Amino acid sequence: MGQKEAIQMKNITKRFGSTIANHNVDFEVREGEILSLLGENGSGKTTLMNMLSGIYYPDEGEIFVKGQKVLIRSPHDAFELGIGMIHQHFKLVDVFTAAENVVLGLKHKKTRKEINDSIETICKKYGFDINPNQKVYDMSVAQKQTLEIIKVLYRGADFLILDEPTAVLTPQETDKLFAVLNNMRKDGKSMIIITHKLHEVLSISDRVTILRRGEFIGTVPTTEATEQSLTEMMVGKKVELNIERPEPENSKERLIIEHLSYINEEGVKVLDDINFTAKSGEILGIAGISGCGQKELLESIAGLLHPEHGSSITYINPDKEDHISLLHMNPRRIRQMGVSMSFVPEDRLGMGLVGSMGMIGNMLLQNYAESNSFLKMKKQAKIKAVKVKDKLDVVTPGINTPVRKLSGGNVQKVLVGRELGSNPTVLMTAYAVRGLDIHTSHTIYHLLNKQKKKGTAVIFVGEDLDVLMALSDRIMVMCGGRMNGILDARTTTKEEVGLRMTKIQEDGGADHE
Amino acid sequence: MANLIAWIIRAVVFGTVVLYGSIGETITEKAGHLNLGTPGIMCIGGAFGFVGAYAYENSVSDPNAALCILIALSLGFISAMIAGLIYAFLTVSLLVNQNVVGLTMTIFGVGIGKFFGSYVIPEGAVSTKASFANSVFSAKLPFLSDLGFIGQTVFSYGFMMYLALIIAISVHIFMQKTRTGLNLRAIGENPATADAAGINVTKYKYLAIAIGSGITGLGGVYYILDYNSATWATAAGNAIESLAWLSVALVIFVRWNTAKAIWGSYLFGLCYWAYAFIPSILGISVNTDIAEILPYIVTIIVLIVGNIRSRKGHQGPAYLGMSYYREER
């Protein structure tokens, strides 16, 4: 394929108030190539790409498309230049059909049939499958992503920017997406992929550009890169990338779940007869496409939801080995009964922390009820906040800074730090590393392993199968609210897990240990 | 029978005022802006429409009907549009909270309307009348309106009642069938998406709010020049305000559908006037104050029922009431 520069960005600087998101960044993508844009959280990847797609306007610097200097003032300008971006949070109107979303904002006068025909042509050419008359709210995540790509292609884009396209896909869906991207590359289109996942970078892209803290670090051909070398460029120092997995030591049952079912407010059975045991000194991974009941499972155990009758949740106290039923209790009752359980929810700033409060306030939330004083006792919380900040390297202007102003990784560190501070017997985490860069992710894995060695029963709901398989001892696969087998993480394969995520197996709930 | 006809006529005339406000509010809400300034804007439109018509017929010896209509409608529309643009500037460009601006707009608009409307009331009097404008605005179709039940209930209104029907149906077709309508709906559903699709969100929002406000203002003109027999009394502002609140409720009642707003507004009219006609038709007595809250109770019941059987696609615009700023982080 040609080696002509398709898009060049020179000396780009973008500031948001006093923070510099991009500083003197040089960037180029060639015709007919797939370029990966790599960087830690907050390194300015999305900001840089948003300047190409017209969402942001650079404070300084120049952009060239096919050698011509251009000004991109709005998304409309970007379309005119053939640049289309598939955003991480899909930009689709839920109540419109696929076709309506595709033609949104276009001025041409085509009939409904002509539009559907052109969509079909695009689908055939690159291997998509979509129903133009389906409403977006009836679509799966993968379908929505397909629609986003079609939307961009329909507008005749030659340059596609994909922001974290695989974050929400199953391995099978990812393979399908990569096949489509390869087809588009053959067709001479240029693609820029923003991602955290290094193995994907290595498998799909031609070159990799790395940003660190808003600055351009370098571009390397993929053939000359390894996971280790890329990580070092990203982080700026040597990092241990292997996830260790110590053997579980004297495992004892800590949490027994039997026949757990839950029907939500809309009358949908989100959990259907779940049975498993969480053991001390062990990490139990839970795999599944998001929205298959993982959230409800953890919330039922934490006492936030009330499961159906016939369900049973039993906690075994490590001191006296007595059995306590957690069914139909609220979190405070559970705590009062001496159950030591921590929960790191998926929605960090919604359920986990109060965004407008500082670290001290958030530490206080966990055990304010234990103090009998009329006034809040800030002193202990302050000690705790300082401890978490030092131990986990939380980057914050101060322990009183509202936590929503921190970056995603630091918010998670505050939350995890608080939950681990209480020395839980059972620790539940939901998507603990979602949106975190590789460096912070490994910090979290390390913390979980430390808990495991201390004898905590860890339940780890994850989405990255590689991580799940490297970190967990056993993996429970969920599919559509049902459990689809518990596998031994040391012997199972990625394909096996991926398959079970999408299709109920005949041996449904049987153990595979 | 005579009672029933009178009831229907009252209801339709009442409903028409509410309908104008409701169409205007629907257009605004489709752009994602909840305009609680509707009562104020309607009041401004009514006051300026009246003052224009009043000044015109008092300044010439032989007033012309077409010119009277033109002056009243354009003054009502434009003044309301200007009020709408103030709201748009504050909420679209300066991103101020829509509820706060809207409520302030109501207080401001009712005040302005009362001030200018009352300016023309002769000293010592409590009201004044634009007789020529009244005769023009309430002129009925000559023959059809005499034709029995149908003639009286369908053809016996001033031209603005029919204008409201045309606008309501046109707006509905515009929203559902045209590309521009699709773009406008997309903005209310998800402005970031619309923006990324290359739609000029700010332009659409300004236009939708301005035109919506203008149509709301016509409701005020209709109220004064036809419904209220072209009489401006010192309390007229408050009367418009109470009707305009109903039009905000009507938008939700008919689920953002201006075609359905037609029968919805007449139903509100029937409910509102029930106290005056139900007793004589059924031979019972009803407390006036309680009867007048009927439209509001109907709205609340519909909201509850609607939410229980909520279906996607029949809710209001998803980003209603939220400001949009492209470079927000």
Side-chain angles (χ1 to χ4, degrees), chain B residues 129-195:
Chain B
K129 185 167 172 161
S131 318
F132 178 73
N134 181 41
S135 67
V136 172
F137 274 81
S138 57
K140 299 170 187 175
L141 290 167
F143 305 107
L144 286 170
S145 56
D146 301 331
L147 293 175
F149 180 77
I150 301 282
Q152 288 186 45
T153 52
V154 179
F155 297 112
S156 66
Y157 309 99
F159 74 94
M160 278 192 80
M161 178 270 179
Y162 305 103
L163 180 66
L165 295 183
I166 294 168
I167 296 176
I169 292 167
S170 323
V171 168
H172 180 65
I173 293 170
F174 167 78
M175 290 291 177
Q176 296 305 322
K177 299 285 176 203
T178 67
R179 203 55 81 67
T180 322
L182 184 77
N183 292 352
L184 179 61
R185 282 190 290 140
I187 289 170
E189 291 293 341
N190 192 338
T193 299
D195 196 6

Side-chain angles (χ1 to χ4, degrees), chain B residues 28-83:
Chain B
T28 309
E29 291 194 14
K30 284 285 181 189
H33 281 247
L34 180 66
N35 188 354
L36 295 180
T38 291
I41 288 169
M42 194 182 276
C43 198
I44 288 178
F48 280 88
F50 168 75
V51 170
Y54 185 82
Y56 170 69
E57 67 179 72
N58 283 325
S59 60
V60 291
S61 53
D62 185 19
N64 175 308
L67 209 55
C68 168
I69 290 172
L70 186 71
I71 289 173
L73 289 191
S74 51
L75 264 177
F77 192 90
I78 291 168
S79 59
M81 203 166 85
I82 291 169

Side-chain angles (χ1 to χ4, degrees), chain A residues 147-161:
Chain A
L147 177 57
E148 281 277 28
I149 298 174
I150 293 174
K151 193 168 118 185
V152 169
L153 292 174
Y154 186 90
R155 280 147 213 261
D158 291 319
F159 316 107
L160 283 88
I161 306 164

Side-chain angles (χ1 to χ4, degrees), chain A residues 14 55 57 79 91 105 108, chain B residues 179 183 193 195-197 326-327:
Chain A
K14 176 74 187 172
I55 303 281
Y57 190 76
F79 283 134
K91 298 212 185 271
H108 67 64
Chain B
R179 203 55 81 67
N183 292 352
T193 299
D195 196 6
R326 187 191 283 166
E327 295 215 358

Side-chain angles (χ1 to χ4, degrees), chain A residues 14 16 47 54-57 73-76 79 91-93 95-96 100 104-106 108 110 115 137 155, chain B residues 176 179 181-183 185-187 189-190 192-199 312-314 324 326-329:
Chain A
K14 176 74 187 172
F16 291 101
T47 306
I55 303 281
Y56 298 155
Y57 190 76
R73 286 196 197 81
S74 70
H76 187 75
F79 283 134
K91 298 212 185 271
L92 297 169
V93 180
V95 295
F96 287 5
E100 282 173 335
L104 191 63
L106 294 179
H108 67 64
K110 277 190 186 172
I115 294 165
Y137 56 75
R155 280 147 213 261
Chain B
Q176 296 305 322
R179 203 55 81 67
L182 184 77
N183 292 352
R185 282 190 290 140
I187 289 170
E189 291 293 341
N190 192 338
T193 299
D195 196 6
I199 299 169
K312 271 224 154 154
H314 285 77
Y324 173 65
R326 187 191 283 166
E327 295 215 358
E328 196 156 29
R329 297 253 291 171

Side-chain angles (χ1 to χ4, degrees), chain A residues 448-496:
Chain A
L448 294 179
N449 268 326
K450 247 167 102 181
Q451 287 296 312
K452 173 179 167 181
K453 281 187 222 164
K454 268 165 92 177
T456 308
V458 181
I459 299 177
F460 178 82
V461 174
E463 47 196 347
D464 186 335
L465 286 189
D466 292 296
V467 170
L468 267 169
M469 297 191 41
L471 186 67
S472 341
D473 296 294
R474 290 181 301 150
I475 298 177
M476 177 169 95
V477 187
M478 291 184 72
C479 176
R482 290 163 66 186
M483 57 184 298
N484 200 8
I486 295 181
L487 310 165
D488 184 345
R490 286 178 177 78
T491 55
T492 188
T493 61
K494 213 170 141 186
E495 286 65 35
E496 170 81 23

Side-chain angles (χ1 to χ4, degrees), chain A residues 15 29 33 95 203 210 243 260 292 373 406 410 431 506:
Chain A
R15 296 181 200 90
V29 58
E33 76 164 351
V95 295
S203 74
I210 291 127
I243 303 174
L260 180 63
C292 278
S373 161
L406 309 185
N410 287 309
Y431 306 111
E506 285 306 310

